[in-house]
Amino acid sequence: MMRLLRVSLLLLWGWGALAFVTEPSVSSRATTLDSKAAFSLSNQPWRRRENLQNYKILPTRSNCHVSTTTALAMSLSTSTVIIDENASREVGGFEEWAVACGVQVADGFQLMAASEDPYLDVGVCTSMDLPKDAPVLFVPNEMTLSANRAKEELGQIVDAEDLFVQLNAYDQVQRFYLFLKILREYELGDQSPWYPWMNSLPRYFSTGASMTHYCCTECLPPLVGSLALKEKTRFKQFFKALDFCNSVSPETRGNKELAKWAYNVCLTRSFQDGHGDYKIAPMADMFNHDSTYEIQGRYDEEGNFFATTIYDVPAGSPLRMSYTAGDNSNPSFLFARYGFLDHSSPATFCKILIPNPSPQLIEMGYNPSRMLFYKETGDVSQEVWDVLLYQILEASNNAEQLQALYQAHMSGDEQTKQAIHDEHYGETLTALRNHVDSFLVQLDELSTKAQGRDLNVHPRLPLILQHNQFVKETFLRVQANLNQ
């Protein structure tokens, strides 16, 4: 094991200052890791990276267009992160910085272009076989960005918090401080200890916050459209709250382009740490999502981040995590929050929307994560049939059978429940066919509204059309099954 040089961040939160301090690595570092049973260094191939040929600085696009806002920033300081959507991601410098600051990775850990356009998507893979429970990544607490520490550093902003209370969005206050921290570090340019990380981040996002109002309301189905609008509304709340934040400059407070980039970084790369904080762990935020994820991460009580494999992973495989804590039933949320199509999701919400569902209907299974159409087979989850039957009995004022169905469901009396289903199967089948047929028509109408629109104004439309086609293919499979 080669001798390590640890570079730690001293975070002087009370003074609002940060500085790098170098210190030689000694056995105490190994002892710290050895105290974590799953992360013993004695038999694990941790390494400091020396060979960086796989981590090249991504070339600048030949057709790169820099906005007026970005051009002004460049004229004032050449060290500011360029946030123009066409700007490239500088991944090589980030990796060198991360390793120098104490990040440890397993042999075989590699950053890779995870799509045809590396400017948009960088992920992680392994070039070596990794056994189950193998340590993959360690990120020291000093490197993480923390909402709680940001509040301590920047001070409590009472007026901003009051605004979130008035907007019934107080649950977003923690992430707002993390968002504010990102803006503050952006202002510091290359004087920020996190500059190499910020310069490696995406500039182009396809989140709901980045979509136009027309896209959300006219081109997307109702559920995902409402989720995308919710993201747009949340960004507006964050941007409005900036009016009360003297910890960043007036120019930053008024820069909507910059604020939206910082918001997208904050919302797509931060997760709860299990100890009451929202954090971003540089390098860990390069793990992409998949429903068949290979690794899981956690924070220890000291705030360090660890990632381990959850099964044997062969060489050449991607290393991915779950952004939904293993819940693979809601790709609409992923599309609105993170801006990607989750092709790995086995199922999607059936799109039956019921305004103000009763508690009984919810207990029968009315929930987007349970009322599912399965992508590959076209199968329909039991909850869909249960909810439709409940609605049919309720609409026909069949109080006796309605109560019998509810009681059978709640008591687990499957025989009685199935008997009621059999009696009304023709009605529920017709109702479900009508829903699927009408939704397919709606999808075509929504996609038609996207045709011919100016992509300079609505650049996320191609992805929205892919989303609609993805949903359509699932519904067509369900339709074929129902018509057999």
Side-chain angles (χ1 to χ4, degrees), residues 24 26 39 60 77 94 114 120 131 137 157 159 179-180 248 285 288 303 315 328 341 358 376 429 437 476 479 481:
V26 294
F39 286 83
T60 303
S77 172
F94 158 70
L120 305 184
L137 175 68
I157 306 171
D159 289 341
F179 157 79
L180 196 59
V248 293
D285 65 334
N288 284 324
N328 301 318
L341 280 172
S358 66
E376 298 298 332
L429 177 62
D437 293 346
L476 286 172
Q479 183 187 60
N481 286 350

Side-chain angles (χ1 to χ4, degrees), residues 27-174:
S27 59
S28 61
R29 164 59 94 181
T31 301
T32 300
L33 287 175
D34 281 337
S35 67
K36 318 296 181 184
F39 286 83
S40 172
L41 284 177
S42 59
N43 297 312
Q44 298 295 344
W46 290 111
R47 63 193 172 105
R48 307 291 282 186
R49 191 174 302 285
E50 296 295 329
N51 186 353
L52 298 174
Q53 73 267 22
N54 292 324
Y55 299 80
K56 298 176 181 177
I57 296 175
L58 298 175
T60 303
R61 292 181 177 178
S62 59
N63 63 343
C64 180
H65 168 72
V66 178
S67 67
T68 302
T69 302
T70 301
L72 177 60
M74 292 174 66
S75 68
L76 296 174
S77 172
T78 57
S79 61
T80 304
V81 173
I82 306 302
I83 63 164
D84 190 272
E85 290 187 345
N86 286 313
S88 60
R89 302 175 62 175
E90 212 261 63
V91 178
F94 158 70
E95 197 226 4
E96 295 180 72
W97 166 83
V99 173
C101 290
V103 166
Q104 296 187 48
V105 299
D107 275 338
F109 184 104
Q110 292 184 345
L111 296 181
M112 65 173 186
S115 68
E116 293 182 0
D117 189 345
Y119 297 89
L120 305 184
D121 195 3
V122 174
V124 183
C125 69
T126 176
S127 63
M128 298 180 62
D129 293 341
L130 295 174
K132 180 183 177 181
D133 298 325
V136 172
L137 175 68
F138 167 83
V139 182
N141 174 50
E142 294 86 353
M143 278 187 65
T144 64
L145 290 95
S146 155
N148 289 347
R149 288 203 302 260
K151 186 174 180 177
E152 293 176 8
E153 174 196 356
L154 302 173
Q156 183 179 12
I157 306 171
V158 176
D159 289 341
E161 292 191 14
D162 287 345
L163 176 64
F164 282 104
V165 172
Q166 296 168 20
L167 296 172
N168 196 30
Y170 190 76
D171 61 330
Q172 297 302 314
V173 166
Q174 265 193 308

Side-chain angles (χ1 to χ4, degrees), residues 225-249:
S226 66
L227 292 173
L229 278 176
K230 184 177 180 180
E231 294 295 327
K232 287 185 70 65
T233 299
R234 183 179 290 120
F235 165 67
K236 291 178 182 177
Q237 294 168 347
F238 276 50
F239 189 59
K240 177 63 178 175
L242 278 179
D243 291 342
F244 306 106
C245 301
N246 294 325
S247 52
V248 293
S249 69

Side-chain angles (χ1 to χ4, degrees), residues 22 86 89 91 119 122 152 198 214 227 232 261 270 273 298 304-305 323 396 400 421 443 455 460 470 472 475:
T22 61
N86 286 313
R89 302 175 62 175
V91 178
Y119 297 89
V122 174
E152 293 176 8
M198 291 189 294
Y214 181 85
L227 292 173
K232 287 185 70 65
W261 176 76
S270 66
D273 68 348
R298 66 176 178 85
N304 304 306
F305 178 87
Y323 292 176
S396 63
E400 183 178 346
H421 268 291
L443 273 177
L455 296 184
R460 279 81 186 171
F470 175 74
K472 182 178 180 178
F475 270 68

Side-chain angles (χ1 to χ4, degrees), residues 325-339:
D327 180 1
N328 301 318
S329 61
N330 195 357
S332 295
F333 164 76
L334 291 168
F335 185 81
R337 168 62 61 82
Y338 297 97

